[in-house]
Amino acid sequence: MNDKDVVEILLVEDNPRDAELTIRALKRHNLANRLFHVEDGAEALDFLFGRGKYEGRPTEVSPSVVLLDLKLPKVNGLEVLRLMKSDPRLHTIPVVMVTSSAEDPDIKAAYDLGANGYVIKPVQFDAFMEAMSHLGVYWLIVNHPIK
Amino acid sequence: MNNRPFSSLSSPLRWGAVKIAGLYLLIGSLWILFSDRLAERIALNKEMLASLSLYKGWAYVIVTAFLLYWLIQRDTGRLHASEKQLQVVINALPVLISYVDKNRHYQFTNEAYEEWFGEKAQGKRIEELIGEATYQKISKYVDKALNGETVFYETEIPYQDGGERFVSATYIPDIQTDGQVRGFFALVQDISEQKESKEKLRQWADAFEGCAHGIAISDPNTNRVVVCNPAFANMFKCRVEDIVGSSILSLYAPSDHEHVRGNIERADQIGRVRYEAQMTRRDRSLFPVQMDVVSVLGEDGELLYRVATAQDISERKQAEEGLHRFELLSEHSRDIILFMRRNNGQILEANAAAIQAYRYSRQELLALTIGDLRARDTHSLTADQMAQADAGGILFETIHLRKDGTTFPVEVSSQGANIGGERILISVVRDITERKGTEEDLRRNEERYRYLFENNPYPMWIYDRKTLVFLDVNEAAITKYGYSRQEFLNMTIVNIRPPEDVERLISNLAQPRQPLEQSDGWRHRLKDGKIIHVEVTSHTIEIDGHESALVIAQDVTERVQAQNAVRTKDELLRLTSEMAKVGGWEFDTPTLKGTWTDEVARIHDLDPSQESNVEIGLSFYIGESRAKIEKAVKEAIELAQPYDLELEMVSAKGNLKWVRTAALPIMNNGKVVKVQGIFQDITERKRAEEALRENEQKFSIIYYKAPFAAALSKLPDGVIVDVNEAFERVFGYTKQEVVGKTSLELGINPDSERRTRLAAELQTRGSVRDMELMLLTKSGATRVFLMNIDLVGIGGQKYIFQTAQDITERKQAEEALQKAHDELEIKVQERTAALSQANTLLQALMDTMPDQIYFKDIQSRFIRNSRSQASLLGLSDPTEAIGKTDFDFFSHASKAYAEEQEVMRSGRPLIDFEEWVVWPDGRESWVSTTKVPLRNSDGETIGIFGISRDITERKGAEQAIRELNTDLENQAAKLQIANKELEAFSYSVSHDLRAPLRAIDGYTRILVEDYETILDAEGKRVCSIISAEARRMGQLIDDLLAFSRLGRKEMYSSNIDMKALVISVLNELIKEGDRERINFKIARLPSARADSSLMRQVWVNLLSNALKFTSKKERAVIEVGSKSGTEEVTYYVRDSGAGFDMEYANKLFGVFQRLHSESEFEGTGVGLAIVQRIIRRHDGRVWAEGEIDKGATFYFALPRKEKHHE
């Protein structure tokens, strides 16, 4: 499933269940082929910058969208967002916060840092699936990325 | 102009022809010379030569022909060109150019002709074009031209607009070589404008030359005359040429140069100026002129030239001079001088004398006519007199009228004259009042004499001296003598004499007569024969040319007799005077010399032996006495009047004496021959008299003028003899009313008892001093008098002399004063009482108030203290503090003292000043002091008022409060921290709890989807349950989160339209089927003041509950209403749904408390808890009522006043 070369979706999610469900939803729409999953913020950054574990990854080809959870081990979601958006190479990548937090301060902070979207993970499975597939469809098919 | 105007054009032509000929010759010659040779050279054989020659010839011809053609073409072209140019020029010129043939037809006309006449002229005859009339004018010129003369003239010819214009015409005859005139060229030019200008210029020049005023134009740059007109030159008695070029100033008298220069400058500045100056002629004579100078500016404002207009005003000046002199004359003349219009008599001029005489102002006079100045009854004569004056002059008397209506006789001399082109009458009017008066007087005198004559009591007559015939007699004569007038007129004066006296008369008459003669000793005889002695006075008068005499005859018969008697008495007198030491004197009247007795001389302090005469005698008298005696002596001498005078004289030794002199004139023959008299020194007597008179006067004045009423009454009857002015004034009686009456009668003193006392006192003491008495005046008013009475004796008779001083006013004043004094006393007592009361109150106030009150003076010394103050100071009695200062009680009183001084000085009070005070007894406390400056009624600061309060307790309380506040703040801070912690907690709860739920639900789904084939129905059911439960838990978490958030959330109150809110919520909650199934009754709801979002939550929860619990009923009612109370407003939601058991009502609002199972009605049981929490936060309360299956009503009440926490 993981194609290191061309990654369209970078999923940064520490909860494996949520991750699995998200992948499943995207699979339904055939959007999961080029999905890469990392489980913490640091790894996400390593991947994006092509360093550490992912040294040598061709960074010029960036993901079409990054699905970023807020609560992450090591480096949390907001920090990852900040670093991404302040880096000239990475700031054009669309970042959608996908989190269960509906707290206003979080939403504001994310947008302040330049998040392209903020989606609250519904508790209900159906709704969750729907939200994820909407996301995928939009960011991969509907939205025209920078090339 | 040439005779052949086009000859200039033919020259180039000729020159061209010559050129062509020349060229032709040249080419021909050359050809001839060389062509053959050339042909030979070229020809190869003879035939060729022949043909060459043939061709050569033809070639020559052709070439030449071409050459000719080309040359001619070129020249004609040039010719055409120059002709064209000529055409253009001819047509362009504004001049009429034409060629007329000898038949007077226009052979050629330029375009100007068309413009001028409006028609083509070519081919027409002259008169056809310009008209018969004009042709007549010019035909002679045409003839001349056709005769070969060049003609030049000016005339008027018609223009196409019908008018005529001035033109100048030139005809040049076209003479052929044989001398024949073929025609002529005509050039006609419109000179109408020129003519006009010329005409105008001519007019101006005429005006300039002919102007009566002198005009000179000067160049402002050189200041010399550029041009002047003859009139200007004439003023200087020289020619125009002599003036032109002279400098302007040289024309003026040197004395005026400054003046003129200044005026010229002004002219340059303001444009024009007028001034007068003296100009000088060649011969140095001067003449005055009035100059108007105009400075003419060019287009760009520079001075072009000056135009000066001069007017010789010598005559005017002379006239002014003459007028001025005349005015002086007329003003100083004492006679009235009037100028008036001949035709209507209007006064044009009047001199000062006129103003004075007629008493009109100058303005008024000039508005009158002569008629207004004449007395009304003279008006009829006025017109005639004026005509005479105008004709040759007139002198007449008349009466003139003044402004005030009085008249005065005048003599008028009036004459006509021409002044200023009008016929004027000049009148000199002289006031002849005096003269007339004199005449009048004379007339009146005559009348008087007539009157006197007729009415004289003495017989008077006039007789003719010559004839002695009576001419006139008066009534008295008729009466006395017994003859009638007629009889008298037939008699002579002889007839009235006794026969024996006639001789004497005649001889007397023969003597020369004096104008006035007086003689006595005549006897007349009356008609009845009675003889009377007469004294005759005779005036010589002239009547109608006759010498006559006016005679007064006085019957002195008795006197004569008396005189005789006197004579004897005379002797007696002389003797008596000798004996009585009364001086006697006498003098002869003719000589005025006399004698006097020794006594008289002694009185005069003269030596008795000295001679005396009347003059000497008179010389001793002075002033009035002198006048008196002289008069008396004169009368005695002339009129035989005796006198008896008391006179003042100064003796020879200079002693002032009073003398009595009495005289008796002695008559003889009707004349006074001597005067005898007595002389007595009456100085003593006079002095005594005078002293007496003086005293009398003094007394009289004192008595009469005294301010006190005084009355003199006789004893014993008390009849009033006299009262003074004051008496009259005070009592209101006149002297006449009281004199002769008694005071009793008059009722002056009504009090009989007093009267008796008065009388008694008078008797015993002889006088009454300062007795107050009330007396009545005539009007009945009672007045108070201070009486003083005395007994006096005058001339042997006893009198009572009373004076009464009116002290009524004084008494009244005294009474008023006493009353005022008494009133004042009462007032003072009242005031004192009030003051002492106020004082007591103040002290009571000061003593009862717990605050320390004190009054200090300007030096901060205590004036007054309250008890509390005193005790604090350690004194038992407040009065002990008086006079002491703070320094006497406090160790560091300087600060307070300085404060007080500042307060008193600045006038600004110190209010509620808190300070720590150490009292004399060692106690310490906080004190709040107020110090206010004390001011008197004038606003001056006289001290200070202080009040201080012990505020130690208050201070303590304040401190406690401060500490409490600090605690509270700490508490609040702690609370704040707790809240924050709670918030963080809620956040993480929501976030962390949700994720697992999601996983549960999700994985269950995966299970179902992926393992659908091997899951049976039961398996699927179990999975769905798992999912449902996960969902439910999520709901619980949300509700819990919401519930906790409620407590923290900030509340913003606003006015909420509750009904609108309810309807909005219902619209959201109601589903399709609900509307038909449920009957919604929503009443009018009062608005509430609360947090709108929280309130919405309340309604959402209550209404969704109502909907939920009626969902199972086929028909239901949901009602929303309110109840207004005094303290709170209650809202309710009533449903007819499932209801609940009231026994468990208290559980309703608990968290997670449900009274129905999940299978009956879903829900988490938080809704009502939320409602309760919200309402509680609004300081309200919630409760509910219900009945199973019947329905439930949920109430919440909000307080009326806003009391919720912010």
Side-chain angles (χ1 to χ4, degrees):
Chain A
M1 197 150 69
N2 294 341
D3 188 339
K4 282 208 179 97
D5 288 325
V6 181
V7 172
E8 288 190 340
I9 306 172
L10 177 65
L11 177 63
V12 188
E13 172 65 66
D14 66 327
N15 187 329
R17 315 299 160 238
D18 283 345
E20 200 178 328
L21 290 171
T22 305
I23 292 164
R24 196 181 169 84
L26 287 170
K27 231 194 215 162
R28 281 256 179 90
H29 297 277
N30 288 322
L31 299 169
N33 295 340
R34 292 192 174 82
L35 182 142
F36 192 74
H37 172 221
V38 293
E39 290 182 334
D40 64 56
E43 201 177 335
L45 288 170
D46 284 345
F47 178 86
L48 287 165
F49 284 107
R51 59 178 191 219
K53 202 157 95 181
Y54 301 96
E55 185 84 34
R57 186 185 80 80
T59 52
E60 51 280 0
V61 182
S62 352
S64 301
V65 66
V66 175
L67 300 178
L68 183 56
D69 191 6
L70 267 184
K71 223 176 42 50
L72 293 168
K74 296 187 188 161
V75 182
N76 74 17
L78 284 176
E79 185 61 23
V80 171
L81 176 64
R82 195 181 65 75
L83 284 167
M84 274 185 77
K85 289 301 177 185
S86 56
D87 184 278
R89 289 171 291 170
L90 303 177
H91 77 256
T92 53
I93 304 174
V95 179
V96 179
M97 314 307 291
V98 180
T99 173
S100 29
S101 166
E103 300 300 307
D104 285 334
D106 290 329
I107 303 173
K108 184 172 185 311
Y111 274 115
D112 273 342
L113 286 167
N116 298 78
Y118 195 101
V119 174
I120 299 170
K121 283 187 241 176
V123 176
Q124 270 208 12
F125 179 71
D126 289 330
F128 180 80
M129 295 297 274
E130 215 173 298
M132 287 305 115
S133 48
H134 279 317
L135 264 182
V137 168
Y138 176 76
W139 285 106
L140 291 180
I141 295 168
V142 178
N143 186 47
H144 193 79
I146 189 170
K147 265 302 180 261
Chain B
M1 239 195 214
N2 305 352
N3 268 342
R4 305 194 65 95
F6 295 142
S7 59
S8 55
L9 280 170
S10 63
S11 310
L13 201 65
R14 210 176 341 164
W15 184 238
V18 166
K19 268 202 301 199
I20 292 171
L23 208 58
Y24 182 80
L25 269 169
L26 186 65
I27 293 174
S29 320
L30 284 172
W31 186 258
I32 292 168
L33 282 170
F34 295 106
S35 60
D36 282 334
R37 300 252 170 93
L38 194 62
E40 283 169 21
R41 292 279 162 99
I42 295 172
L44 291 169
N45 53 33
K46 286 238 167 85
E47 287 97 24
M48 202 176 180
L49 190 65
S51 39
L52 261 176
S53 299
L54 195 67
Y55 295 140
K56 181 179 80 172
W58 279 110
Y60 178 73
V61 167
I62 290 166
V63 165
T64 319
F66 271 118
L67 200 62
L68 276 170
Y69 174 77
W70 174 76
L71 280 170
I72 291 168
Q73 182 76 340
R74 196 188 68 178
D75 277 336
T76 44
R78 245 193 250 136
L79 193 66
H80 271 132
S82 41
E83 223 180 89
K84 268 256 163 345
Q85 277 175 354
L86 187 65
Q87 281 272 20
V88 167
V89 162
I90 289 176
N91 285 321
L93 282 175
V95 177
L96 299 173
I97 303 174
S98 59
Y99 184 84
V100 179
D101 63 15
K102 58 177 191 261
N103 294 323
R104 295 153 210 250
H105 280 129
Y106 283 105
Q107 282 217 339
F108 164 80
T109 56
N110 71 346
E111 281 176 10
Y113 265 83
E114 233 182 279
E115 273 177 43
W116 187 280
F117 295 102
E119 46 183 300
K120 282 214 183 301
Q122 200 111 2
K124 293 206 179 125
R125 292 175 67 85
I126 301 179
E127 59 265 35
E128 266 179 73
L129 190 67
I130 64 173
E132 196 59 51
T134 317
Y135 182 69
Q136 291 294 343
K137 278 196 272 183
I138 64 160
S139 66
K140 58 176 180 284
Y141 298 112
V142 172
D143 294 335
K144 275 208 192 135
L146 288 172
N147 270 340
E149 261 181 72
T150 306
V151 193
F152 182 74
Y153 69 93
E154 288 178 7
T155 184
E156 276 180 275
I157 63 169
Y159 192 67
Q160 67 163 317
D161 63 2
E164 292 198 333
R165 290 219 184 152
F166 269 106
V167 294
S168 80
T170 311
Y171 294 156
I172 301 165
D174 178 25
I175 307 176
Q176 287 176 318
T177 40
D178 58 4
Q180 285 268 343
V181 180
R182 261 196 318 197
F184 62 92
F185 297 95
L187 275 88
V188 179
Q189 207 171 1
D190 184 351
I191 56 162
S192 44
E193 274 177 36
Q194 252 183 334
K195 260 250 178 279
E196 265 180 53
S197 317
K198 258 201 220 151
E199 190 60 37
K200 273 205 193 110
L201 197 66
R202 200 181 51 75
Q203 285 173 356
W204 278 114
D206 284 343
F208 183 72
E209 292 294 317
C211 184
H213 293 158
I215 307 174
I217 301 177
S218 59
D219 179 357
N221 297 323
T222 60
N223 282 327
R224 285 181 187 277
V225 176
V226 168
V227 66
C228 75
N229 69 350
F232 191 85
N234 281 341
M235 287 198 314
F236 293 90
K237 293 201 179 23
C238 58
R239 298 165 305 167
V240 169
E241 301 87 71
D242 299 325
I243 303 284
V244 169
S246 321
S247 94
I248 302 176
L249 282 180
S250 68
L251 301 171
Y252 288 93
S255 52
D256 273 349
H257 279 185
E258 262 320 303
H259 169 66
V260 167
R261 220 179 268 127
N263 274 300
I264 288 177
E265 273 171 31
R266 256 188 57 222
D268 287 344
Q269 281 167 9
I270 61 175
R272 71 178 316 132
V273 72
R274 174 178 279 198
Y275 61 93
E276 287 181 13
Q278 294 265 53
M279 296 193 105
T280 178
R281 299 196 185 92
R282 280 266 176 85
D283 60 0
R284 303 280 178 87
S285 60
L286 300 175
F287 59 100
V289 288
Q290 183 185 285
M291 293 292 275
D292 283 291
V293 179
V294 173
S295 292
V296 179
L297 302 174
E299 277 174 353
D300 33 0
E302 100 279 11
L303 194 56
L304 284 180
Y305 46 85
R306 295 198 197 93
V307 180
T309 313
Q311 209 177 349
D312 187 335
I313 52 169
S314 331
E315 272 183 36
R316 193 181 82 184
K317 278 268 173 242
Q318 274 173 12
E320 280 175 14
E321 193 70 29
L323 187 70
H324 181 64
R325 259 185 248 128
F326 174 73
E327 273 176 7
L328 272 170
L329 188 70
S330 106
E331 284 311 306
H332 286 117
S333 162
R334 292 180 59 189
D335 290 334
I336 299 161
I337 303 176
L338 298 171
F339 282 66
M340 69 198 85
R341 276 217 179 87
R342 158 75 184 98
N343 52 3
N344 62 359
Q346 193 199 343
I347 310 288
L348 296 171
E349 269 306 325
N351 69 344
I355 292 164
Q356 214 175 13
Y358 295 107
R359 301 192 190 143
Y360 286 102
S361 76
R362 203 184 142 74
Q363 244 127 310
E364 290 170 325
L365 259 182
L366 294 185
L368 301 173
T369 67
I370 188 63
D372 298 321
L373 297 176
R374 292 180 62 128
R376 215 163 303 146
D377 46 7
T378 64
H379 278 179
S380 52
L381 303 166
T382 315
D384 198 32
Q385 283 162 340
M386 280 172 75
Q388 282 189 47
D390 187 22
I394 182 175
L395 178 69
F396 62 95
E397 282 182 21
T398 183
I399 308 212
H400 274 191
L401 185 67
R402 290 196 191 92
K403 182 177 178 178
D404 58 9
T406 57
T407 58
F408 59 105
V410 293
E411 184 182 76
V412 178
S413 163
S414 185
Q415 187 142 25
N418 276 334
I419 297 180
E422 272 193 271
R423 195 75 190 146
I424 304 290
L425 297 181
I426 307 170
S427 299
V428 180
V429 178
R430 187 169 290 173
D431 186 339
I432 54 166
T433 314
E434 278 177 33
R435 194 172 68 181
K436 268 276 170 237
T438 322
E439 285 176 14
E440 189 70 23
D441 288 339
L442 266 173
R443 201 171 42 79
R444 244 182 262 129
N445 283 343
E446 212 181 283
E447 273 182 25
R448 221 182 284 139
Y449 281 129
R450 189 90 234 149
Y451 184 76
L452 278 170
F453 180 78
E454 282 303 325
N455 298 303
N456 204 310
Y458 295 128
M460 288 171 77
W461 55 79
I462 303 172
Y463 70 89
D464 189 319
R465 275 260 188 230
K466 284 222 178 70
T467 59
L468 303 181
V469 167
F470 285 103
L471 297 174
D472 201 355
V473 284
N474 73 352
E475 277 298 314
I478 293 166
T479 317
K480 188 96 190 165
Y481 287 80
Y483 298 105
S484 75
R485 183 179 291 269
Q486 202 51 48
E487 288 172 322
F488 261 111
L489 295 179
N490 286 333
M491 299 190 317
T492 70
I493 58 170
V494 174
N495 301 121
I496 57 166
R497 304 294 159 108
E500 51 275 24
D501 287 356
V502 171
E503 219 182 284
R504 193 172 135 232
L505 171 70
I506 304 231
S507 62
N508 185 286
L509 288 171
Q511 286 172 11
R513 311 258 33 138
Q514 307 277 21
L516 174 65
E517 282 181 14
Q518 210 168 8
S519 51
D520 62 355
W522 292 102
R523 292 188 309 168
H524 283 186
R525 192 182 62 182
L526 306 175
K527 185 172 182 183
D528 60 6
K530 186 166 164 204
I531 307 285
I532 56 169
H533 290 265
V534 290
E535 195 180 284
V536 170
T537 313
S538 171
H539 281 95
T540 312
I541 56 175
E542 195 171 304
I543 295 182
D544 297 335
H546 296 195
E547 205 189 322
S548 321
L550 174 71
V551 171
I552 310 173
Q554 219 174 341
D555 185 346
V556 294
T557 323
E558 282 177 27
R559 199 174 69 181
V560 167
Q561 285 165 1
Q563 273 185 338
N564 288 333
V566 164
R567 227 173 260 127
T568 37
K569 283 200 185 118
D570 222 12
E571 294 292 322
L572 215 56
L573 185 66
R574 203 159 46 77
L575 284 164
T576 329
S577 70
E578 267 186 36
M579 287 166 25
K581 290 222 186 327
V582 169
W585 53 270
E586 63 174 46
F587 64 84
D588 290 332
T589 36
T591 59
L592 297 179
K593 277 210 175 93
T595 54
W596 53 38
T597 61
D598 296 350
E599 187 60 32
V600 176
R602 256 201 299 280
I603 294 173
H604 281 86
D605 287 334
L606 285 172
D607 190 345
S609 57
Q610 250 182 301
E611 260 217 28
S612 67
N613 59 26
V614 173
E615 225 176 278
I616 295 175
L618 288 176
S619 69
F620 290 92
Y621 298 99
I622 51 163
E624 238 183 77
S625 300
R626 175 73 174 254
K628 271 200 204 143
I629 187 65
E630 281 182 350
K631 183 160 172 280
V633 165
K634 185 158 171 269
E635 282 177 2
I637 296 172
E638 291 176 7
L639 304 175
Q641 284 277 60
Y643 63 80
D644 184 353
L645 301 169
E646 292 179 6
L647 306 164
E648 261 184 288
M649 59 166 268
V650 179
S651 72
K653 290 219 179 96
N655 296 322
L656 193 66
K657 293 189 182 182
W658 272 95
V659 294
R660 180 178 169 207
T661 168
L664 192 67
I666 309 291
M667 305 279 286
N668 197 2
N669 291 336
K671 270 217 185 82
V672 176
V673 288
K674 67 175 164 191
V675 181
Q676 284 181 332
I678 55 159
F679 203 81
Q680 198 178 8
D681 185 343
I682 55 163
T683 317
E684 289 289 330
R685 189 183 64 140
K686 256 311 189 213
R687 286 225 179 91
E689 269 178 26
E690 205 154 301
L692 192 69
R693 201 176 21 255
E694 258 181 58
N695 282 338
E696 208 182 286
Q697 253 185 346
K698 273 190 219 150
F699 176 71
S700 191
I701 287 168
I702 294 168
Y703 171 69
Y704 276 104
K705 300 292 183 188
F708 314 140
L712 195 67
S713 30
K714 264 196 305 186
L715 265 181
D717 55 8
V719 167
I720 297 176
V721 162
D722 195 9
V723 292
N724 71 349
E725 283 176 21
F727 185 96
E728 291 176 309
R729 235 193 353 259
V730 169
F731 288 96
Y733 298 100
T734 65
K735 205 197 252 211
Q736 287 94 304
E737 284 175 323
V738 299
V739 167
K741 301 209 177 78
T742 67
S743 58
L744 196 68
E745 281 171 28
L746 296 168
I748 289 180
N749 192 352
D751 188 346
S752 58
E753 197 236 293
R754 290 304 285 279
R755 270 206 313 272
T756 336
R757 210 146 32 94
L758 259 177
E761 185 140 340
L762 201 60
Q763 201 127 33
T764 41
R765 272 203 227 134
S767 63
V768 173
R769 286 277 158 270
D770 291 336
M771 178 178 279
E772 278 188 25
L773 202 59
M774 288 209 329
L775 302 173
L776 287 173
T777 64
K778 179 174 178 186
S779 57
T782 310
R783 295 187 84 76
V784 182
F785 294 92
L786 199 67
M787 302 289 297
N788 281 286
I789 313 180
D790 287 286
L791 287 172
V792 294
I794 302 177
Q797 166 77 343
K798 281 224 178 75
Y799 294 90
I800 304 178
F801 181 64
Q802 308 174 62
T803 56
Q805 191 180 356
D806 189 347
I807 53 166
T808 324
E809 259 87 51
R810 194 183 77 184
K811 271 253 167 265
Q812 281 171 356
E814 277 176 13
E815 271 173 47
L817 194 69
Q818 184 63 37
K819 204 161 83 153
H821 182 81
D822 292 337
E823 276 177 17
L824 193 68
E825 272 290 325
I826 294 169
K827 276 212 172 70
V828 166
Q829 276 174 15
E830 282 176 5
R831 193 59 61 78
T832 319
L835 261 167
S836 74
Q837 195 180 29
N839 196 27
T840 323
L841 278 170
L842 179 68
Q843 192 60 43
L845 180 74
M846 284 177 68
D847 291 338
T848 37
M849 273 189 74
D851 300 343
Q852 289 87 55
I853 307 172
Y854 53 87
F855 293 88
K856 289 182 181 169
D857 67 10
I858 252 254
Q859 271 108 30
S860 287
R861 287 188 298 235
F862 284 108
I863 301 174
R864 199 165 177 156
N865 296 55
S866 69
R867 277 206 187 280
S868 47
Q869 165 84 334
S871 63
L872 272 176
L873 293 174
L875 303 169
S876 52
D877 192 342
T879 51
E880 286 175 35
I882 294 174
K884 300 212 175 76
T885 67
D886 281 342
F887 290 99
D888 295 314
F889 300 99
F890 299 98
S891 45
H892 38 269
S894 43
K895 181 167 161 291
Y897 175 77
E899 266 169 22
E900 282 167 11
Q901 288 299 311
E902 177 58 27
V903 167
M904 286 192 275
R905 191 194 63 77
S906 69
R908 276 199 304 278
L910 191 67
I911 302 203
D912 280 334
F913 179 73
E914 294 180 1
E915 54 186 351
W916 181 253
V917 176
V918 180
W919 295 99
D921 59 6
R923 223 164 43 81
E924 295 174 349
S925 60
W926 274 98
V927 167
S928 165
T929 310
T930 299
K931 291 184 186 170
V932 172
L934 268 180
R935 290 206 176 84
N936 65 6
S937 53
D938 293 331
E940 292 169 354
T941 308
I942 53 166
I944 192 162
F945 160 70
I947 177 163
S948 59
R949 182 172 291 177
D950 188 320
I951 51 163
T952 323
E953 274 179 40
R954 195 183 78 186
K955 272 283 178 214
E958 278 174 14
Q959 184 64 26
I961 288 170
R962 263 197 296 280
E963 283 165 10
L964 214 66
N965 274 344
T966 324
D967 282 338
L968 271 163
E969 273 168 29
N970 290 340
Q971 296 269 47
K974 283 201 193 116
L975 266 161
Q976 192 87 319
I977 295 165
N979 265 344
K980 280 230 158 48
E981 285 173 4
L982 194 64
E983 225 177 288
F985 170 72
S986 316
Y987 170 70
S988 53
V989 159
S990 70
H991 190 81
D992 293 338
L993 283 176
R994 277 219 194 93
L997 283 174
R998 194 168 37 253
I1000 295 169
D1001 189 21
Y1003 278 91
T1004 312
R1005 274 306 179 81
I1006 292 171
L1007 190 69
V1008 168
E1009 282 173 14
D1010 288 356
Y1011 296 95
E1012 196 183 347
T1013 44
I1014 55 171
L1015 260 180
D1016 63 350
E1018 179 63 19
K1020 286 188 182 122
R1021 189 187 71 86
V1022 163
C1023 285
S1024 72
I1025 288 168
I1026 296 169
S1027 289
E1029 286 309 303
R1031 272 198 294 276
R1032 187 177 154 74
M1033 188 163 166
Q1035 185 64 39
L1036 271 167
I1037 292 168
D1038 283 338
D1039 284 349
L1040 205 61
L1041 218 55
F1043 182 73
S1044 88
R1045 229 180 290 148
L1046 268 183
R1048 295 180 280 116
K1049 197 159 164 274
E1050 279 184 47
M1051 284 203 342
Y1052 298 102
S1053 30
S1054 55
N1055 278 334
I1056 304 166
D1057 181 349
M1058 289 301 235
K1059 180 161 181 173
L1061 189 57
V1062 165
I1063 289 169
S1064 154
V1065 166
L1066 276 174
N1067 281 334
E1068 267 180 37
L1069 297 173
I1070 288 173
K1071 292 197 201 58
E1072 271 284 327
D1074 294 335
R1075 273 187 223 278
E1076 291 134 21
R1077 200 170 51 83
I1078 301 169
N1079 178 14
F1080 289 97
K1081 287 193 200 158
I1082 302 155
R1084 221 173 53 76
L1085 301 172
S1087 61
R1089 196 159 174 82
D1091 184 305
S1092 56
S1093 58
L1094 293 177
M1095 262 310 138
R1096 190 187 185 84
Q1097 187 70 47
V1098 165
W1099 286 113
V1100 164
N1101 291 2
L1102 290 176
L1103 287 167
S1104 57
N1105 273 358
L1107 285 166
K1108 185 161 52 169
F1109 286 96
T1110 55
S1111 59
K1112 295 225 175 111
K1113 291 265 171 110
E1114 268 186 36
R1115 280 258 176 276
V1117 176
I1118 294 181
E1119 203 184 308
V1120 180
S1122 71
K1123 272 189 233 150
S1124 289
T1126 46
E1127 295 286 324
E1128 57 189 15
V1129 178
T1130 309
Y1131 301 85
Y1132 60 86
V1133 178
R1134 186 171 289 139
D1135 68 78
S1136 61
F1140 59 89
D1141 190 344
M1142 274 301 288
E1143 206 177 320
Y1144 306 109
N1146 55 323
K1147 283 193 178 172
L1148 268 172
F1149 296 96
V1151 184
F1152 294 134
Q1153 292 289 342
R1154 302 196 75 229
L1155 297 183
H1156 297 274
S1157 65
E1158 180 68 24
S1159 57
E1160 285 179 281
F1161 295 102
E1162 56 96 8
T1164 53
V1166 184
L1168 286 177
I1170 290 174
V1171 166
Q1172 184 177 254
R1173 196 154 202 211
I1174 291 172
I1175 297 298
R1176 276 224 184 111
R1177 275 194 86 183
H1178 285 83
D1179 291 323
R1181 56 196 184 94
V1182 294
W1183 70 100
E1185 287 163 8
E1187 210 183 312
I1188 298 190
D1189 274 335
K1190 289 282 172 62
T1193 311
F1194 287 85
Y1195 299 90
F1196 67 91
L1198 296 171
R1200 274 202 181 279
K1201 289 188 215 127
E1202 204 180 285
K1203 261 203 236 150
H1204 59 71
H1205 312 292
E1206 295 277 17

